[in-house]
Amino acid sequence: MKQILTLLIVFFVLFSCKNENNTSENTYKEPLETENTVPSFGIVIHGGAGTILKENMTDSLENVYRAKLEEAIKVGHTILKNGGTAMEAVTKTINIMEDSPLFNAGKGAVFTHEETNELDASVMDGATRNAGAIAGVKHIKNPINLAHAVMEHSPHVLLSGEGAERFAKEQGIETVDASYFYTESRFKTLQRVKEREGSNTTKKVSVGKDPYIKDSKFGTVGCVALDKNGDLAAGTSTGGMTNKRWNRIGDSPIIGAGTYANNATCAVSSTGWGEFFIRGMVAHDISAMMEYKGVSLQEAAKEVIQKKLPNLGGDGGIIAIDKKGNVSMEFNTPGMYRAHMDSEDNLKIAMYKE
Ligand code: ASP
């Protein structure tokens, strides 16, 4: 009798525990999107890295840059705040910088040796790891939109030159006359670089080692974002490097070098001396260090930008954001135009070393 009683008690206890578990499973709610918790999101932009020094800058020019960086980042931030996608925030933010003559992308693109403008851009979606890129286009007002269309509406990742422009027409992407990209300051920069180069334009010199190209200004634009859904996206747009020749293509349209995004790790946009970013696969290298070594975004970015890149001989910087909203704005040049805004509306704009 005593044994039967003990057995009954054991059954009763087991049964009630199972029931408790069921109850807690059924009533459990993800603590994510309740009224009291703000899902983490964030956005970071760059407007190029290079010799950006306080002593070379007037107060009014600094204010002009600050105002444009603020305008651009707020466009993307508003999209994210309203529940828009990271990809939409990235492209719309980059559009603002592409339309400004201040940056080496879209309107303010630098000149090639042949006195033309050849534009490169790319985007990558961290959720699907789908990507789109274009290189060497001459009539596309907002190259980032064409890169996005390549990702969305073509079976390819990277289109170039005339073919890319034909695809743009089919997609109804806005085209402009080549003269749209003329800005006096960029044209003068090319003339100065050419004067220093002298008349010997046929000399055989590898582009990466060409001192005239190395010294010319950077100024590419880029944006990375994390949306409320937890998705990451990255985009980069550029006119390349002043005095580039032979249809040179830099890192900006190269997935893994100039742009990379993976929801499991981070989203990265690069700026700097493109040949080295290609050889170092900089954007992917940062993601790979996080994925394979388990290091933080900050550690990975520091290792790549402060050690691996300069060891190759390259300079520049990156902006990056990870799935938790941690950011990195790492560069090894004297300055980098940059801004960051988080889900609590904190805004940081900077251009020099801190
Ligand atoms: N990375 C770009 C290129 O090499 C230039 C830049 O970032 O300003 O084309």
Side-chain angles (χ1 to χ4, degrees):
M1 185 63 200
K2 203 173 163 199
Q3 273 174 336
I4 291 174
L5 207 65
T6 318
L7 260 178
L8 273 175
I9 290 171
V10 168
F11 270 126
F12 178 77
V13 169
L14 276 177
F15 182 74
S16 52
C17 281
K18 198 167 179 274
N19 246 2
E20 229 168 68
N21 279 347
N22 277 348
T23 316
S24 63
E25 249 170 51
N26 291 339
T27 54
Y28 179 76
K29 285 218 169 62
E30 284 286 331
L32 261 180
E33 300 240 7
T34 61
E35 271 161 11
N36 300 326
T37 55
V38 183
S40 176
F41 66 92
I43 182 164
V44 193
I45 59 174
H46 71 71
T51 314
I52 303 159
L53 294 165
K54 182 102 183 127
E55 54 263 37
N56 297 340
M57 191 72 88
T58 61
D59 284 350
S60 61
L61 188 58
E62 190 176 312
N63 288 338
V64 170
Y65 271 103
R66 279 182 177 278
K68 195 45 85 175
L69 289 167
E70 183 169 343
E71 180 192 339
I73 201 163
K74 283 190 167 167
V75 165
H77 189 267
T78 305
I79 291 169
L80 296 171
K81 201 169 188 170
N82 293 335
T85 64
M87 184 54 78
E88 192 191 350
V90 163
T91 52
K92 296 271 166 57
T93 299
I94 288 181
N95 285 164
I96 303 291
M97 293 190 279
E98 284 178 333
D99 290 345
S100 162
L102 289 176
F103 305 103
N104 171 20
K107 174 69 186 155
V110 297
F111 281 87
T112 68
H113 187 77
E114 293 80 22
E115 302 184 351
T116 60
N117 309 93
E118 295 177 358
L119 308 146
D120 305 333
S122 64
V123 291
M124 186 157 180
D125 180 334
T128 57
R129 271 178 287 156
N130 204 352
I134 48 106
V137 295
K138 294 181 175 171
H139 304 93
I140 308 300
K141 182 168 177 276
N142 294 106
I144 202 76
N145 296 355
L146 184 54
H148 186 242
V150 170
M151 181 180 94
E152 289 290 320
H153 306 297
S154 90
H156 306 300
V157 168
L158 173 57
L159 301 183
S160 70
E162 283 173 22
E165 302 220 352
R166 277 203 309 278
F167 176 73
K169 288 224 168 81
E170 282 172 33
Q171 292 295 316
I173 300 277
E174 188 173 357
T175 55
V176 286
D177 191 85
S179 61
Y180 167 78
F181 299 107
Y182 178 87
T183 54
E184 203 186 335
S185 69
R186 297 294 190 205
F187 194 69
K188 279 191 176 151
T189 304
L190 175 69
Q191 302 314 322
R192 274 202 304 274
V193 171
K194 279 187 167 181
E195 268 162 35
R196 276 164 45 199
E197 188 183 45
S199 54
N200 186 8
T201 55
T202 54
K203 66 184 172 154
K204 272 203 178 140
V205 54
S206 105
V207 173
K209 296 207 171 76
D210 187 333
Y212 305 107
I213 288 185
K214 180 190 183 319
D215 288 351
S216 45
K217 260 211 176 122
F218 300 146
T220 294
V221 306
C223 178
V224 294
L226 165 71
D227 64 30
K228 285 183 176 178
N229 225 17
D231 290 329
L232 295 171
T236 311
S237 182
T238 190
M241 293 175 93
T242 303
N243 202 31
K244 64 184 182 181
R245 281 174 246 183
W246 311 302
N247 300 120
R248 176 262 189 192
I249 295 168
D251 61 312
S252 306
I254 307 297
I255 299 301
T259 300
Y260 194 73
N262 180 350
N263 270 10
T265 54
C266 61
V268 185
S269 169
S270 311
T271 178
W273 194 353
E275 278 66 19
F276 292 92
F277 280 73
I278 294 174
R279 289 166 56 199
M281 274 286 119
V282 164
H284 181 261
D285 208 27
I286 292 169
S287 168
M289 283 184 70
M290 293 176 71
E291 189 172 357
Y292 303 136
K293 278 179 104 180
V295 302
S296 70
L297 173 63
Q298 285 86 352
E299 278 176 274
K302 210 170 194 138
E303 174 78 19
V304 173
I305 297 301
Q306 306 300 352
K307 287 193 192 149
K308 294 174 96 171
L309 187 64
N311 283 349
L312 274 179
D315 57 358
I318 58 96
I319 50 162
I321 189 163
D322 72 12
K323 57 192 171 182
K324 289 191 184 136
N326 298 311
V327 307
S328 169
M329 299 186 275
E330 196 71 42
F331 54 97
N332 63 26
T333 45
M336 179 168 83
Y337 297 108
R338 59 199 186 278
H340 168 223
M341 214 168 164
D342 65 18
S343 45
E344 265 126 52
D345 296 349
N346 298 308
L347 171 65
K348 176 193 164 123
I349 300 176
M351 44 194 83
Y352 315 114
K353 273 215 168 96
E354 289 176 329

